[in-house]
Each structure stands twice: as structure tokens, then as C-alpha cells.
Amino acid sequence: MTDDLAELRAETDAALAACADLRAWDVVRVSVLGRNGRLTALLKELGKTPAEQRRERGAALNRLKDALAEAIESRRIALEAAELETRLAAERLDPSLPPRPMPGGLIHPISRTMEEMAAIFGAMGFEIAEGPDVETDWHNFSALNIPAHHPARDDQDTFYLTAPAGAPPPVLRTHTSPVQIRTMLERPLPLRVIVPGRTYRADHDATHSPMFHQCEGLVIDRDITLAHLKGCLIDFLRAFFAAPNLPVRFRASYFPFTEPSMEVDIGWDRKSGELGKGSDWLEILGSGMVHPRVLANVGIDPRAWQGFAFGMGIERVTMLKHGIPDLRPFYESDIRWLRHYGFNPLAPAMLHEGA
Ligand code: PHE
């Protein structure tokens, strides 16, 4: 190799070694192999070389070109690896870092009650069913045997939406009972479901909210009797209120979609608010045997299948169980109220601990 080629080689090696990053490396690459680079210039001058030296000079230049290209490429690989190394070191996570103290998120009492209901009824073989908040008139009223001029349909009580021309207006469901209809239409028999969900009525005071929650229950099977209804609800109420001897009373009542119908009361002391004590009764839920006409409305033969249904207010049983005096703070998202009445999310409702 002639002196000038050796010099180019040595200087390029030194320049490559001095590159701290890929940007500096690229400057070196262009200065050697680029259109105006030193090697390119030497190749261009080859034509001026005297003919007798040209062949040898050309071969030397080509060897140098290959060697330089290789040196430049391997420096690129090394620089890239180094940059990756630095980035990985900088971005490394230290999993041993202790967690920051968590702002204590808590489960809302309504959600907690729904979970407890799911746990208790789940153990009895019930599944969860759901339906839409905006219902058709048919699901919310007609299919449930509620006649056209029944007071429950009064627009004083019910939120009606705008109807498509000629059709009956949709409603915000006034109870979870329309999901009885949907479930019987959709699921195979026999069935056992509970339906926790939102319901709406045009009511607003210390004990009524225009939006509130109910939990419906529905059992359809062969040979279901009033005894099943009573056993199921007594067991539920005693488990839910964690009071094994809670007095439970069934009182004749009326709902268009059950026959016979019963209001269910539990024993309590009105003065102290204590459940299971004293000699007063408190109405907790509505229930009854599913009306044969309701079964017929969804195409179920009432001579082959019977069932019972019930519906209860979630806020009401929650207030009773936890001694919450006022309904309104349930929906105000006041963090102080939530801290006081909320539940630990890491300790979900589990039956073996007692609901
Ligand atoms: N839907 C009734 C209500 O909202 C409760 C109920 C449900 C009664 C099922 C009987 C059977 O008051």
C-alpha cells in the first residue's frame, strides 16, 4: 500500500475510534465514502495515473475500499449496540421500589349490597340477569299484566321518552320486573335469576330518589310452590342481615304480575332501629307466585311451569343494614360519606364470612 493509502486507512481508523455517536460516525463515513469523500476522490484520479501503475493502484484502491467499508460498518454496529446499552440502563425499572401509599378507594354501599346479594343467591343457584334502563311499554307494563289505565303507568310517576310516531313511548324502567319478561323469553327453563339494577320514578324527597336500585328475583321450574318462595326469602333475609333468627312475616298484598302476592316484613324495634328486636314490623320487599297470564304472555304453559318472583329496594336494605339515615348522600359522591360507609375492595362479599 502506498503512503497516501496507508495514511487514509490510519486516519479513518482513528476518526472512527473517536466517534462518540452515530451522528459523528456518519460524518466520518461521508468524508471517506461520500460523493466528495477522500476515497472517492482517489478513485476518480485513477484515470490520471500512468498506465503502467494503473492496474496495481486500482487493485490497491479496491482493497482499501472494501477494508474501509467494513471498518465503517463494524463501527456502526458497535455504536448502535452501545446506544442501546445506555438506553436500557437508563430505562431500567427497579421492581424493588416500595409502592406509594394508595389513596384508599372504597366500594360504594350499593355495589357492596349487590355483591352480597349475588353471593347469597349465587349459593342458592341463581344467576345474574340484566336488561336495559330504557324499556318498551310492553316489557315494563303490558307483559307484566299491568293494564292500560293502572296508576303505575301515570306520567306523574313514570319518566316517558319521546315515542316514534304512533308507537307507545319508551319508559325509564320503573322496576326491574321487565327483566323477568326478557329472561323468560331468552333463557331456557328451568331458570333462577336475580336482577340487580337501576330503576326510575318521578319521586324526590329524603326517602325517594328519581333514580334508585332494585334487585329482582325470578324462579321458574316445575312444581314450584309458595313454600319455595318463603324458604328462599327467609334464608336470604337472615343471611343478608346476618341475623339467624330474624323474624320474617308474609302479608297478603297485590301486584298485577303475581298471584297470590305478598309483602315481606322483618321484625325490628322502631325506636332503636335494631333489627330482629322489639315488636314492630318493617316492609322490605314485594313478592308472589308468577301470574299465569304473565307466563302465557311469554309463551310458557302455566300448567307445566310455575314460579315465584320478588323485588326489593337496594338502598332501603342497605340503609337498614348499615344504619344510614338519609338516602340523598348515596348519589352525592361526597368523599367523606364514602370513606365512612364504603367497603374495602380487597375484602369482597363472601358467604363463609357471613354477609
Ligand atoms: N316490581 C315490584 C315493585 O317495584 C316488586 C315486585 C317484584 C313484586 C316481583 C312482586 C314480584 O314494587
Side-chain angles (χ1 to χ4, degrees), residues 109-283:
I110 291 187
S111 305
R112 172 70 187 196
T113 292
M114 288 179 171
E115 285 172 8
E116 290 176 2
M117 289 178 172
I120 298 169
F121 285 113
M124 298 187 210
F126 284 72
E127 298 173 88
I128 307 259
E130 286 180 317
D133 289 13
V134 177
E135 265 299 2
T136 67
D137 183 275
W138 186 76
H139 288 90
N140 195 81
F141 295 123
S142 308
L144 288 164
N145 197 37
I146 301 176
H149 297 291
H150 192 274
R153 288 175 177 261
D154 194 337
D155 54 14
Q156 296 284 307
D157 301 325
T158 303
F159 292 110
Y160 285 97
L161 283 82
T162 320
V171 300
L172 293 185
R173 66 181 182 190
T174 58
H175 49 182
T176 42
S177 303
V179 188
Q180 286 189 34
I181 301 300
R182 293 184 177 274
T183 308
M184 288 188 284
L185 289 172
E186 282 160 22
R187 300 199 186 195
L189 303 181
L191 62 82
R192 286 178 213 188
V193 294
I194 58 164
V195 185
R198 272 188 289 276
T199 46
Y200 305 83
R201 283 179 206 174
D203 250 347
H204 204 188
D205 59 38
T207 52
H208 296 90
S209 150
M211 189 278 303
F212 59 107
H213 299 78
Q214 283 192 340
C215 184
E216 194 82 7
L218 174 69
V219 171
I220 303 286
D221 207 332
R222 299 185 191 274
D223 306 320
I224 289 288
T225 72
L226 202 63
H228 296 112
L229 179 161
K230 291 179 74 175
C232 172
L233 288 176
I234 291 171
D235 279 359
F236 164 74
L237 290 168
R238 289 180 175 168
F240 179 77
F241 289 111
N245 299 312
L246 185 72
V248 180
R249 180 174 81 170
F250 292 81
R251 186 163 40 80
S253 183
Y254 171 76
F255 299 101
F257 34 91
T258 47
E259 181 60 33
S261 302
M262 285 167 305
E263 221 70 74
V264 184
D265 304 336
I266 56 174
W268 78 321
D269 185 52
R270 193 185 303 278
K271 278 220 186 70
S272 67
E274 269 179 294
L275 299 176
K277 306 268 164 66
S279 53
D280 302 311
W281 291 102
L282 186 62
E283 182 187 317

Side-chain angles (χ1 to χ4, degrees), residues 8 19 71 80 83 108 206 259 339 341:
L8 176 55
C19 289
E80 271 182 6
E83 278 184 16
H108 193 284
E259 181 60 33
R339 280 217 184 96
Y341 289 112

Side-chain angles (χ1 to χ4, degrees), residues 26-45 65 72:
D26 200 48
V27 174
V28 176
R29 182 185 64 82
V30 171
S31 76
V32 178
L33 300 178
R35 202 145 31 90
N36 301 312
R38 287 172 68 183
L39 185 76
T40 318
L42 291 175
L43 285 165
K44 279 183 195 151
E45 282 163 13
K65 188 181 167 190
I72 288 171

